[in-house]
C-alpha cells in the first residue's frame, strides 16, 4: 500500500517537473510581443525575429533588414487569413524550429537552448544543417520556413520599391463583375456602380515600364500598406 | 433549341463592351437580382431549377451560360465569393491565401509537389495567366485510340473552340505588352532554331502589368467572373456564391439535386465556417467542381457514379519546372504579360516551354541559400527572367482520396521515371535557351547541384540520371483524369457527352474527364468539352 502511494507521488512529481520544464521551455522568458497581433504568441514572435536576423542580415544592399521588416506582423496577418488546419501547420513549423535544439543541439555551449536564445552563428548552423539534410522532407521544412519569412521580407514595400518591382499604379477598372457583385462580405445594396461606370480595357494603353508604382508601395511602412 | 455545335453568340459579341454606353440598365438590375452572396443568407435555403451547375470555373461557367441561353432555368453554385477589383490583394502570398483552397498550401503526397485549386467566382480563371491552347490532333488521336472515344477530335470540337475563342477574344499576346523577359525567350528560340509564338490568351486590352496571378486590376483578362458568368446572368441563370456542395442527392439512377452548407468567405470551407443548410432540386446536375473536388463530392455522395471503380483514380498532372536566368542588364521583369511566349517545339517529346512571371516574393521562394547570399539573389531580380516547362506526365499516376469530415482531398501521386527523364531534358533545354539569350548565369533550383551555373556545359548535369524527383522543385499546374471519359463504362466514369455512365442525368464538366493529360494548357479544351456537353444536355432536357 505504502509502495503504491510512494509510486503515485513519484509519478505525480515527475509529471509536475515535466510540466514545469515544458512551461519554462515553451513559454517563460520571452519578451513582450508588439501590440496588435491576433494569432502569434510571444514565443513565436521571438523565433520569427531571431530567424529573420540571420536569414536577412544587414549589409546586403536592401533598405530593410530582417529584424526591421515587421515580419511578426506579416506572419500574423498571413496566419489570420489561413484556414485553421493550415494555420496549425505553420505554427507547428515555427514551434519545431524554435525547439529543434532539444533533439539536435546547436554545437555550442548552451546548444540545447531555444533557437531564439542562441547566438546568431549557432542559429545559422542550425538552419544550414536542416537546409542541407539528405532527406527531402526535412529539407522541405527549411524551405517552408524560409518561404513564410521571405514572402514577408521581400514583399516589404521598401524592398520591392528599391528593386523596382513594386506593383504598378493602376486605376481600378469597372467590369461586369464590379457592376454585378458587391465586395466580399458586403450586401448587394452597397454596390453603387452604374452601367455608365463600366470601363473598356481595350481603350487603355500598355503601361510604361518606368511608370508610377502603387501608392501603398511609396510609403516605407508595412503598416501603411 | 440548339444543335450540338451551337450557334454564334450575337448578344455577347466582342464589341459588346465597346457598346456598353448605349446599353439599357435594365439587364443590370435584373441580373443583380439573380445573384446571391454570403451576406444575404439568413436561414436554410431551398431552391429548384432545371439544371444546377456546381463550380463556376471555366467549364462550369460555359456550361451555365449555354444552358441558360438554351432557355433552361439554371443555378450556378460556387463555394467561393465573387471578387471585385478592390478585393484583390497585391501581395502574392496573401492573395493566394484568399483565393486558393487550403490557403494555397496544398501538397501532393508520394512525390511531394505543391498544387493549387482556386475557390472564387470564376474559379482558376481569376488567378491563372489566361493561356489558351488548342491541342494538336495528335492529342485527340491518343484519346480516341486509348479510350474508345469516336467524337472527341479536333474536327468535332473546333466549332466549340471557335465559339469560345470569339466570345473571350482569345488572341496572341501583342508585342506591345510582351516586355523584355518574354521577348528574350523569343530571341533565344530563334537563336537555337526552335519554333516559338506569342501565347494566345483570353484577354482584351492587356496593359502588361504582369499580375494575372493576383487578379487583373485592369479587368483585361476575360476571367469567367467578367465574361461567361455575367453572360449567364444576362441569359437568365441564377448565381449563388458561398455555397459548399457536400452531396449529390439521387434516387436510383437519377440525380435529384445537391445539398450542402453556406460557408463564410475565406473560412476554407472548414466545419467552423459553415452556417445554414441549403438544398437545390434539379432535373440535371452538372459537376464542374474541379478535378480534385468532384471525386471527393462523388465519394461523399455514397460513392456515386463509381461502378467502374475509376472515381478518383488515374490522377495526372502537368508537373512544371522552372529556371531563373540572370542577364547582364535590367530586364524590367515587372512589366509584360505574365506568360507571353511559348514554344511547342518539344510537344512530341512531352513538354511545352513557356515564359513565366509572378509576384517576386513568390518567385524568390525557390532561391537557394540564406543570409547575404539570399539577399544578393533578391538584388538580381530586376535582371532576371523565369522560363518554365510543363510536362505531359501521362505515365505518372495518382489518386484522389477522401479526407474524413472534409471536402478537401488527399492527393497521392508519384513521378514515373520516364516522365522524370522528360523533366530533366526540359530543364536542360531551358538552360540552353537562357545562355542562347545572353544570360550570364542561371539558377536551376535543383537540389544537390550547383546553385548557379555560368556556362552552358555545366547545365548538361541537369539532364543526367543523377537528378531524381527529390532534387526537383516542381509545381503541379494542371490536374486531370480523376473521372475520366471512356467509351467503356467499366473503364471510365463519363461518356463522350460528359454524362456519368451510371446515372441518367449527372454530368461532369471539368478536367477530371480528360482521359489523358494533353501536354498543353487545358482551359480552352475543358471549356470546349463543357460547351458541347451543355448543348447536348440542353437538347435532352
Amino acid at each position: 500500500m505504502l509502495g503504491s502511494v510512494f509510486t503515485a507521488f513519484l509519478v505525480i512529481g515527475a509529471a509536475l517537473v515535466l510540466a514545469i520544464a515544458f512551461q519554462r521551455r515553451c513559454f517563460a522568458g520571452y519578451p513582450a510581443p508588439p501590440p496588435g497581433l491576433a494569432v502569434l504568441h510571444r514565443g513565436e514572435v521571438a523565433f520569427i525575429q531571431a530567424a529573420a536576423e540571420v536569414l536577412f542580415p544587414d549589409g546586403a544592399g536592401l533598405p530593410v533588414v530582417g529584424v526591421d521588416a515587421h515580419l511578426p506582423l506579416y506572419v500574423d496577418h498571413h496566419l489570420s487569413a489561413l484556414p485553421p488546419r493550415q494555420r496549425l501547420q505553420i505554427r507547428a513549423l515555427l514551434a519545431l524550429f524554435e525547439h529543434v535544439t532539444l533533439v539536435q543541439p546547436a554545437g555550442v555551449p548552451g546548444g540545447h537552448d531555444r533557437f531564439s536564445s542562441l547566438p546568431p552563428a549557432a542559429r545559422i548552423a542550425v538552419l544550414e544543417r536542416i537546409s542541407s539534410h539528405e532527406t527531402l522532407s526535412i529539407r522541405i521544412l527549411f524551405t517552408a520556413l524560409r518561404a513564410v519569412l521571405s514572402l514577408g521580407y521581400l514583399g516589404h514595400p521598401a524592398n520591392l520599391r528599391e528593386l523596382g518591382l513594386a506593383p504598378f499604379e493602376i486605376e481600378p477598372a469597372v467590369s461586369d463583375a464590379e457592376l454585378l457583385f458587391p465586395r466580399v462580405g458586403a450586401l448587394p445594396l452597397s454596390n453603387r456602380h452604374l452601367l455608365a461606370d463600366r470601363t473598356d480595357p481595350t481603350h487603355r494603353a500598355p503601361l510604361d515600364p518606368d511608370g508610377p508604382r502603387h501608392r501603398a508601395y511609396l510609403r516605407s511602412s508595412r503598416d501603411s500598406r | 433549341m440548339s444543335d450540338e455545335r451551337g450557334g454564334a453568340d450575337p448578344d455577347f459579341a466582342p464589341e459588346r463592351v465597346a457598346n456598353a454606353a448605349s446599353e439599357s440598365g435594365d439587364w443590370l438590375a435584373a441580373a443583380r437580382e439573380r445573384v446571391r452572396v454570403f451576406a444575404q443568407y439568413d436561414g436554410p435555403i431551398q431552391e429548384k431549377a432545371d439544371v444546377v451547375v456546381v463550380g463556376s470555373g471555366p467549364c462550369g461557367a460555359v456550361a451555365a451560360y449555354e444552358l441558360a441561353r438554351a432557355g433552361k432555368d439554371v443555378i450556378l453554385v460556387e463555394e467561393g465569393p465573387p471578387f471585385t477589383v478592390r478585393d484583390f490583394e497585391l501581395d502574392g502570398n496573401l492573395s493566394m491565401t484568399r483565393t486558393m483552397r487550403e490557403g494555397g498550401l496544398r501538397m501532393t503526397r508520394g512525390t511531394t509537389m505543391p498544387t493549387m485549386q482556386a475557390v472564387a467566382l470564376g474559379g482558376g480563371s481569376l488567378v491563372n495567366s489566361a493561356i489558351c491552347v488548342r491541342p494538336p490532333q495528335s492529342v485527340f488521336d491518343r484519346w480516341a485510340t486509348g479510350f474508345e472515344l469516336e467524337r472527341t477530335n479536333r474536327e468535332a470540337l473546333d466549332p466549340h473552340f471557335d465559339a469560345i475563342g470569339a466570345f473571350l477574344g482569345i488572341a496572341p499576346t501583342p508585342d506591345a505588352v510582351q516586355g523584355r523577359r518574354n521577348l528574350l525567350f523569343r530571341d533565344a528560340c530563334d537563336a537555337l532554331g526552335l519554333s516559338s509564338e506569342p501565347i494566345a490568351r483570353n484577354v482584351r486590352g492587356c496593359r502588361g502589368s504582369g499580375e494575372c496571378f493576383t487578379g487583373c486590376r485592369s479587368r483585361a483578362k476575360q476571367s469567367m467572373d467578367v465574361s461567361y458568368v455575367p453572360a449567364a446572368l444576362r441569359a437568365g441563370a441564377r448565381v449563388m456564391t458561398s455555397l459548399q456542395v457536400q452531396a449529390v442527392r439521387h434516387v436510383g439512377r437519377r440525380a435529384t439535386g445537391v445539398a450542402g452548407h453556406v460557408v463564410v468567405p475565406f473560412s476554407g470551407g472548414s466545419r467552423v465556417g459553415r452556417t445554414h443548410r441549403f438544398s437545390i432540386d434539379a432535373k440535371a446536375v452538372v459537376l464542374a467542381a474541379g478535378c480534385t473536388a468532384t471525386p471527393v463530392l462523388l465519394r461523399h455522395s455514397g460513392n456515386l457514379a463509381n461502378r467502374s471503380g475509376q472515381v478518383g483514380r488515374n490522377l495526372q498532372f502537368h508537373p512544371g519546372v522552372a529556371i531563373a536566368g540572370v542577364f547582364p542588364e535590367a530586364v524590367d521583369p515587372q512589366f509584360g504579360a505574365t506568360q507571353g511566349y511559348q514554344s511547342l517545339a518539344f510537344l512530341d517529346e512531352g513538354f511545352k516551354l513557356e515564359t513565366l512571371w509572378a509576384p517576386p516574393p513568390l518567385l524568390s521562394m525557390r532561391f537557394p541559400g540564406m543570409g547575404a547570399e539570399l539577399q544578393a539573389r533578391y538584388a538580381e531580380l530586376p535582371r532576371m527572367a523565369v522560363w518554365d516547362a510543363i510536362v505531359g506526365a501521362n505515365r505518372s499516376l495518382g489518386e484522389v482520396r477522401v479526407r474524413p469530415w472534409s471536402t478537401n482531398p488527399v492527393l497521392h501521386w508519384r513521378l514515373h521515371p520516364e516522365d522524370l527523364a522528360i523533366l530533366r531534358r526540359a530543364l536542360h533545354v531551358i538552360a540552353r535557351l537562357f545562355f542562347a539569350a545572353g544570360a550570364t548565369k542561371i539558377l536551376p533550383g535543383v537540389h544537390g547541384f550547383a546553385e548557379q551555373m555560368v556556362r552552358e556545359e555545366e547545365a548538361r548535369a541537369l539532364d543526367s540520371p543523377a537528378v531524381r524527383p527529390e532534387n526537383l522543385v516542381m509545381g503541379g499546374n494542371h490536374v486531370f483524369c480523376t473521372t475520366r471519359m471512356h467509351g467503356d463504362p467499366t473503364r471510365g466514369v463519363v461518356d463522350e457527352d460528359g454524362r456519368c455512365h451510371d446515372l441518367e442525368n449527372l454530368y461532369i464538366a471539368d478536367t477530371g474527364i480528360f482521359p489523358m493529360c494533353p501536354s498543353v494548357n487545358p482551359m480552352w479544351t475543358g471549356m470546349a468539352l463543357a460547351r458541347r456537353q451543355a448543348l447536348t444536355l440542353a437538347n435532352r432536357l
Side-chain angles (χ1 to χ4, degrees):
Chain A
M1 178 65 186
L2 199 60
S4 305
V5 171
F6 182 68
T7 305
F9 269 115
L10 265 184
V11 169
I12 291 168
L16 271 174
V17 167
L18 279 175
I20 291 168
F22 178 80
Q23 194 276 339
R24 286 176 63 87
R25 171 84 194 186
C26 294
F27 301 109
Y30 286 116
L37 299 179
V39 176
L40 292 175
H41 71 62
R42 57 179 63 197
E44 292 166 325
V45 171
F47 168 74
I48 288 168
Q49 287 294 70
E53 185 181 4
V54 295
L55 280 172
F56 316 113
D58 197 0
L62 289 173
V64 177
V65 298
V67 291
D68 294 333
H70 302 292
L71 292 184
L73 189 68
Y74 182 86
V75 175
D76 191 72
H77 189 180
H78 182 206
L79 290 178
S80 301
L82 279 174
R85 182 186 177 93
Q86 285 68 38
R87 188 184 308 158
L88 187 66
Q89 287 172 344
I90 300 281
R91 297 188 76 174
L93 181 76
L94 301 178
L96 179 74
F97 273 85
E98 173 70 336
H99 300 290
V100 70
T101 48
L102 268 177
V103 289
Q104 288 260 313
V108 295
H112 282 291
D113 287 353
R114 299 183 294 217
F115 181 91
S116 58
S117 302
L118 296 172
R123 278 180 258 155
I124 292 169
V126 168
L127 294 177
E128 281 182 341
R129 196 169 54 205
I130 296 171
S131 70
S132 58
H133 201 279
E134 63 184 18
T135 306
L136 173 69
S137 54
I138 293 177
R139 287 202 310 272
I140 283 178
L141 292 174
F142 171 77
T143 307
L145 174 72
R146 191 184 55 186
V148 168
L149 300 181
S150 66
L151 287 165
Y153 175 69
L154 184 58
H156 191 284
N159 284 338
L160 280 182
R161 189 179 63 236
E162 174 72 15
L163 294 171
L165 297 174
F168 289 99
E169 179 68 25
I170 296 174
E171 185 185 340
V174 179
S175 69
D176 280 357
E178 282 66 40
L179 293 178
L180 287 164
F181 312 120
R183 290 197 62 174
V184 176
L187 281 164
L189 283 174
S190 65
N191 186 353
R192 303 289 183 195
H193 284 303
L194 304 172
L195 201 57
D197 298 333
R198 185 158 61 179
T199 52
D200 180 358
T202 62
H203 287 176
R204 292 188 171 181
L207 295 164
D208 174 0
D210 300 319
R213 301 307 167 116
H214 194 279
R215 68 198 68 161
Y217 288 77
L218 300 179
R219 307 178 201 116
S220 59
S221 164
R222 182 180 294 286
D223 303 343
S224 63
R225 188 169 54 182
Chain B
M1 189 174 284
S2 320
D3 64 28
E4 194 188 279
R5 292 188 167 201
D9 303 332
D11 298 339
F12 307 108
E15 60 272 18
R16 67 185 166 82
V17 173
N19 293 337
S22 62
E23 279 186 299
S24 151
D26 295 347
W27 75 267
L28 181 59
R32 278 178 175 168
E33 281 297 311
R34 291 194 286 272
V35 175
R36 288 289 176 274
V37 295
F38 176 77
Q40 292 171 283
Y41 302 125
D42 55 4
I45 300 159
Q46 176 71 51
E47 297 284 352
K48 270 187 180 175
D50 290 336
V51 187
V52 59
V53 179
V54 180
S56 67
C59 301
V62 166
Y65 164 63
E66 293 295 348
L67 286 160
R69 196 162 73 95
K72 307 304 173 192
D73 179 17
V74 176
I75 296 181
L76 176 61
V77 175
E78 169 56 50
E79 181 176 334
F83 282 73
T84 68
V85 165
R86 294 188 187 279
D87 294 310
F88 292 155
E89 175 62 70
L90 289 171
D91 180 296
N93 177 41
L94 298 176
S95 172
M96 282 195 351
T97 303
R98 287 156 62 94
T99 57
M100 298 292 177
R101 290 182 184 277
E102 303 181 53
L105 299 176
R106 180 181 286 179
M107 303 283 278
T108 58
R109 297 181 185 176
T111 301
T112 305
M113 177 174 71
T115 180
M116 293 178 203
Q117 185 188 9
V119 56
L121 188 70
S125 69
L126 186 76
V127 285
N128 71 10
S129 43
I131 299 177
C132 296
V133 183
R134 207 182 291 220
Q137 179 59 41
S138 59
V139 168
F140 295 111
D141 288 343
R142 285 197 295 271
W143 290 12
T145 53
F147 301 89
E148 301 176 25
L149 304 172
E150 296 171 354
R151 293 182 291 112
T152 303
N153 51 49
R154 273 290 294 267
E155 186 186 4
L157 288 175
D158 269 345
H160 303 289
F161 278 110
D162 292 343
I164 292 161
F167 186 95
L168 294 177
I170 294 172
T173 306
D175 275 2
V177 294
Q178 286 286 1
R180 185 129 189 268
R181 62 184 155 73
N182 287 319
L183 295 175
L184 280 166
F185 177 87
R186 178 195 63 188
D187 297 345
C189 288
D190 288 350
L192 293 185
L194 301 175
S195 63
S196 68
E197 64 267 332
I199 290 177
R201 302 178 305 154
N202 50 311
V203 171
R204 285 200 175 96
C206 177
R207 305 184 70 197
S209 64
E211 55 186 33
C212 288
F213 293 143
T214 52
C216 180
R217 283 181 289 153
S218 301
R219 288 301 200 179
K221 179 167 65 172
Q222 297 298 292
S223 49
M224 298 304 109
D225 56 324
V226 305
S227 57
Y228 270 102
V229 173
L233 281 162
R234 292 163 69 142
R238 289 175 277 167
V239 173
M240 303 184 76
T241 62
S242 292
L243 297 189
Q244 183 187 65
V245 175
Q246 288 150 358
V248 177
R249 292 190 287 105
H250 57 99
V251 177
R253 282 176 54 83
R254 285 195 69 79
T256 58
V258 297
H261 281 86
V262 175
V263 288
V264 179
F266 310 137
S267 64
S270 62
R271 295 173 75 80
V272 293
R274 295 174 187 166
T275 61
H276 312 293
R277 289 181 180 278
F278 79 89
S279 172
I280 300 172
D281 297 333
K283 295 174 189 168
V285 175
V286 178
L287 297 182
C291 180
T292 55
T294 293
V296 173
L297 184 51
L298 292 171
R299 299 290 287 274
H300 278 316
S301 305
N303 205 20
L304 196 61
N306 196 22
R307 277 200 301 175
S308 65
Q310 298 296 321
V311 169
R313 297 181 64 188
N314 313 303
L315 172 67
Q316 293 184 21
F317 285 95
H318 284 159
V321 287
I323 292 180
V326 182
F327 290 87
E329 305 95 24
V331 173
D332 294 326
Q334 194 71 4
F335 173 74
T338 304
Q339 297 194 266
Y341 243 88
Q342 66 184 7
S343 172
L344 305 180
F346 296 95
L347 212 51
D348 288 341
E349 291 186 38
F351 65 93
K352 171 184 179 262
L353 300 167
E354 307 166 329
T355 59
L356 172 69
W357 192 247
L362 292 180
L363 289 175
S364 75
M365 283 172 18
R366 62 194 302 284
F367 290 176
M370 67 173 93
E373 179 198 4
L374 178 62
Q375 289 163 300
R377 305 262 184 242
Y378 295 159
E380 291 172 336
L381 271 162
R383 293 187 286 125
M384 209 175 271
V386 180
W387 300 339
D388 74 278
I390 61 170
V391 169
N394 52 41
R395 301 168 196 82
S396 306
L397 301 178
E399 188 178 358
V400 175
R401 296 182 190 168
V402 173
R403 182 179 286 163
W405 314 111
S406 173
T407 54
N408 287 319
V410 178
L411 306 178
H412 286 260
W413 177 81
R414 273 196 190 281
L415 183 64
H416 189 279
E418 289 183 43
D419 292 329
L420 171 61
I422 299 174
L423 280 161
R424 289 186 199 122
R425 166 109 169 98
L427 276 171
H428 186 213
V429 171
I430 299 171
R432 288 179 56 216
L433 283 168
F434 269 119
F435 288 115
T440 53
K441 63 181 171 185
I442 60 168
L443 309 178
V446 180
H447 180 79
F449 290 75
E451 291 181 347
Q452 63 177 32
M453 296 176 174
V454 296
R455 289 189 308 278
E456 189 179 331
E457 299 77 57
E458 290 179 86
R460 285 191 191 135
L462 299 174
D463 194 10
S464 78
V467 177
R468 296 173 310 205
E470 57 267 33
N471 300 116
L472 296 174
V473 180
M474 291 183 289
N477 297 302
H478 313 128
V479 200
F480 308 99
C481 306
T482 57
T483 52
R484 74 181 181 192
M485 184 165 42
H486 202 299
D488 179 352
T490 65
R491 297 167 70 191
V493 179
V494 300
D495 64 18
E496 272 186 280
D497 296 321
R499 179 163 65 177
C500 292
H501 288 297
D502 298 355
L503 286 100
E504 296 167 5
N505 61 342
L506 178 61
Y507 290 73
I508 299 177
D510 54 43
T511 58
I513 70 168
F514 284 32
M516 290 172 70
C517 61
S519 304
V520 296
N521 313 66
M523 181 171 69
W524 201 0
T525 308
M527 295 170 84
L529 289 168
R531 186 173 187 274
R532 182 171 74 170
Q533 288 176 18
L535 296 174
T536 304
L537 172 57
N539 281 336
R540 287 176 178 168
L541 281 175

